[in-house]
Amino acid sequence: MSLRLRLTLLYSASLALALIAFSAALYFTAARVTFAAVEETLANEAQRLTASKDFYLDHISYRAGKFADPQTYIQTVRADGQIADRTANLGDFVLPLSDNGWRTCKQGKPWTEIVSTENGRLLVYSKPVWGQGQVVGVLQVARSLVEYDQSLNTLRGLLISGSVLATLTTFGLGWVFAGAALRPIKRITQTAQAIGAERDFDRRVSYAGPDDEVGRLTTTFNEMLTELQSAYRHVEQSLHAQRRFVADASHELRTPLTTIRGNLGLLERQPSISAEDRAAVIADTVEECDRLIRLINNLLVLARADSGLALRTESISIKPFIEDLCRQARLLTSERTIHCEHVPATTVLGDRDALKQVLLILLDNAIKYTPLHGTITIVTAPADGHIAIHVRDTGQGIPPAALPHIFERFYRVEISRTRAGAGLGLAIAKELVEAQGGTITVESQWGKGSQFTVTLPRG
């Protein structure tokens, strides 16, 4: 059962129950009021008749034509139960009086009862007649209830037909109004189906109504679509990056493996190659194996970073850490000058081994791209509750077009492709720095050098 039908049935059922309650109250109120009016009329007529000085138990016919219409019947009964007199319109019919009625009247109280006849119901009002201080008889005044019953039947029919008509009308109007109220929800459903079929997360549900429940639902749905669109694009980018990563990794792994396979083929040749060539082939194979090991180690580092493994966080005293790093960097090159400037006596929060690996990657790149007798400088400075470590070089710099991609995996600047390396160093550095809650940025001027900045929280 649809929501529209349920709402319509709810409207109709609510109105039907209200109409039933109202109709029942109106019907029973009208019946009670009308019955009381008829009873009061009979009581007044009985009072007028007994109050007349011409009233006698044995003679009432001459008064009947004066105050009683054909629907009013009068009968007098003596105390012994014998009929004293009656109006002609009764014919052969005798107005009954029950035993309870007799006892009540003998006690001096009036009695009212309803009598069923072939021609319909009668309302009989019995009033005791006093004489010499005692009840000498009973005056009975009766009136047909046919009109009363017909009017109640008519009222009942009108109430039932009116209630049914009102309920059906409400059902039709409720169906229309429910459809109009639920139209935005239908649009949401159609939009969701279209998005699911077309994968078009740019679509939105249009709504120009008030800020009610449906309006808030539409707004929430559109916000959800925005989040889904962002997540879908992120997934697409991640899948694209993974495919590119697998392709680049395959390419990088294939090169040393192809070289090793070729060198092994040379070593298997018959007749064998010369001792000098054999030594060169073995040295080349060892170099390619070392390159393969470095590449695999780098891929393992990236895989661990992608898995979200948390690094150990500790307070690192920056001054001895940087001084030890500079000492190790100077051992890597004797043809370039390495300076460590402005090292404060403070601490940072991070992983000591990961931070050291990051800075060694930056220093290794600086040594590669800094010409002989060039200068590499490490500067440490506070920065808004953080500590910034700058690694500057006086090399050739990075082309502006390459700067947005410098931290991507397997990305290498065209001018550096002749150098050894797989383009994973800076990607590893970025992953390790972000895993420590820090950031890494680069600034470069073509032909003048580059500066990489690692920022970590102050300890």
Side-chain angles (χ1 to χ4, degrees), residues 12-68:
S12 303
S14 300
L15 179 63
L17 291 175
L19 288 176
I20 290 173
F22 173 77
S23 299
L26 179 60
Y27 177 82
F28 288 112
T29 300
R32 186 171 58 252
V33 170
T34 307
F35 185 85
V38 175
E39 185 179 16
E40 184 179 3
T41 299
L42 294 180
N44 290 336
E45 290 186 358
Q47 180 64 29
R48 288 171 54 192
L49 185 58
T50 55
S52 173
K53 62 180 180 179
D54 298 326
F55 172 74
Y56 299 98
L57 284 175
D58 297 330
H59 188 67
I60 60 171
S61 60
Y62 75 98
R63 298 288 294 172
K66 185 175 182 181
F67 66 87

Side-chain angles (χ1 to χ4, degrees), residues 7-143:
L7 288 175
T8 305
L9 291 176
L10 179 62
Y11 300 153
S12 303
S14 300
L15 179 63
L17 291 175
L19 288 176
I20 290 173
F22 173 77
S23 299
L26 179 60
Y27 177 82
F28 288 112
T29 300
R32 186 171 58 252
V33 170
T34 307
F35 185 85
V38 175
E39 185 179 16
E40 184 179 3
T41 299
L42 294 180
N44 290 336
E45 290 186 358
Q47 180 64 29
R48 288 171 54 192
L49 185 58
T50 55
S52 173
K53 62 180 180 179
D54 298 326
F55 172 74
Y56 299 98
L57 284 175
D58 297 330
H59 188 67
I60 60 171
S61 60
Y62 75 98
R63 298 288 294 172
K66 185 175 182 181
F67 66 87
D69 58 37
Q71 292 181 338
T72 302
Y73 310 93
I74 302 173
Q75 176 178 282
T76 55
V77 183
R78 297 187 184 94
D80 59 1
Q82 297 297 318
I83 298 175
D85 198 5
R86 53 194 299 194
T87 56
N89 58 2
L90 280 172
D92 296 333
F93 185 77
V94 177
L95 294 179
L97 182 60
S98 63
D99 294 339
N100 290 334
W102 269 113
R103 285 193 294 269
T104 303
C105 290
K106 287 180 179 180
Q107 294 174 1
K109 299 177 183 179
W111 174 261
T112 303
E113 59 184 326
I114 297 176
V115 179
S116 297
T117 70
E118 296 179 355
N119 298 323
R121 299 191 304 163
L122 289 176
L123 178 62
V124 181
Y125 180 83
S126 301
K127 177 178 175 58
V129 178
W130 293 84
Q132 298 180 355
Q134 62 180 354
V135 176
V136 296
V138 175
L139 171 65
Q140 292 181 290
V141 181
R143 176 166 290 187

Side-chain angles (χ1 to χ4, degrees), residues 4 36 51 93 141 148 150 161 197 234 278 349 377 406 420 438:
R4 182 181 184 182
F93 185 77
V141 181
Y148 168 79
Q150 290 177 348
S161 59
H234 180 71
R278 179 183 294 273
L349 290 178
T377 306
I406 200 68

Side-chain angles (χ1 to χ4, degrees), residues 334-352:
S334 60
E335 298 172 334
R336 297 166 183 83
T337 304
I338 297 179
H339 293 296
C340 294
E341 300 179 356
H342 309 296
V343 183
T346 185
T347 59
V348 296
L349 290 178
D351 184 284
R352 181 181 297 273

Side-chain angles (χ1 to χ4, degrees), residues 241-320:
Q242 288 181 1
R243 286 193 293 266
R244 188 181 61 188
F245 177 79
V246 171
D248 291 342
S250 301
H251 173 75
E252 294 294 336
L253 291 171
R254 186 185 300 114
T255 301
L257 289 174
T258 302
T259 302
I260 293 173
R261 180 66 184 87
N263 288 338
L264 292 176
L266 290 175
L267 294 176
E268 289 179 342
R269 287 180 59 180
Q270 295 295 334
S272 60
I273 60 178
S274 64
E276 182 179 353
D277 291 339
R278 179 183 294 273
V281 167
I282 292 175
D284 188 31
T285 302
V286 171
E287 182 180 351
E288 290 299 325
C289 286
D290 291 339
R291 177 185 172 190
L292 191 60
I293 291 172
R294 288 194 303 271
L295 180 59
I296 292 174
N297 287 334
N298 288 337
L299 291 175
L300 288 175
V301 171
L302 288 175
R304 283 194 290 269
D306 289 340
S307 66
L309 294 177
L311 297 178
R312 180 184 58 187
T313 301
E314 60 180 329
S315 183
I316 304 171
S317 181
I318 200 66
K319 186 175 179 63

Side-chain angles (χ1 to χ4, degrees), residues 110-269:
W111 174 261
T112 303
E113 59 184 326
I114 297 176
V115 179
S116 297
T117 70
E118 296 179 355
N119 298 323
R121 299 191 304 163
L122 289 176
L123 178 62
V124 181
Y125 180 83
S126 301
K127 177 178 175 58
V129 178
W130 293 84
Q132 298 180 355
Q134 62 180 354
V135 176
V136 296
V138 175
L139 171 65
Q140 292 181 290
V141 181
R143 176 166 290 187
S144 173
L145 293 179
V146 173
E147 292 185 359
Y148 168 79
D149 291 338
Q150 290 177 348
S151 63
L152 289 182
N153 291 335
T154 302
L155 177 62
R156 183 169 58 249
L158 289 175
L159 291 176
I160 293 175
S161 59
S163 298
V164 172
L165 180 61
T167 302
L168 293 177
T169 303
T170 301
F171 183 88
L173 294 176
W175 181 263
V176 175
F177 293 153
L182 297 176
R183 192 170 294 118
I185 298 179
K186 184 178 180 180
R187 287 200 296 268
I188 291 176
T189 304
Q190 292 173 344
T191 302
Q193 291 174 345
I195 290 173
E198 302 172 7
R199 304 288 181 180
D200 182 12
F201 292 100
D202 291 328
R203 296 188 61 172
R204 295 294 182 270
V205 179
S206 59
Y207 180 74
D211 187 22
D212 53 8
E213 289 80 1
V214 177
R216 289 192 292 273
L217 174 62
T218 304
T219 301
T220 303
F221 185 77
N222 287 334
E223 291 174 352
M224 182 190 68
L225 286 178
T226 302
E227 296 295 330
L228 285 175
Q229 182 183 24
S230 177
Y232 186 73
R233 288 178 177 175
H234 180 71
V235 170
E236 280 190 328
Q237 292 172 357
S238 299
L239 291 176
H240 177 71
Q242 288 181 1
R243 286 193 293 266
R244 188 181 61 188
F245 177 79
V246 171
D248 291 342
S250 301
H251 173 75
E252 294 294 336
L253 291 171
R254 186 185 300 114
T255 301
L257 289 174
T258 302
T259 302
I260 293 173
R261 180 66 184 87
N263 288 338
L264 292 176
L266 290 175
L267 294 176
E268 289 179 342
R269 287 180 59 180

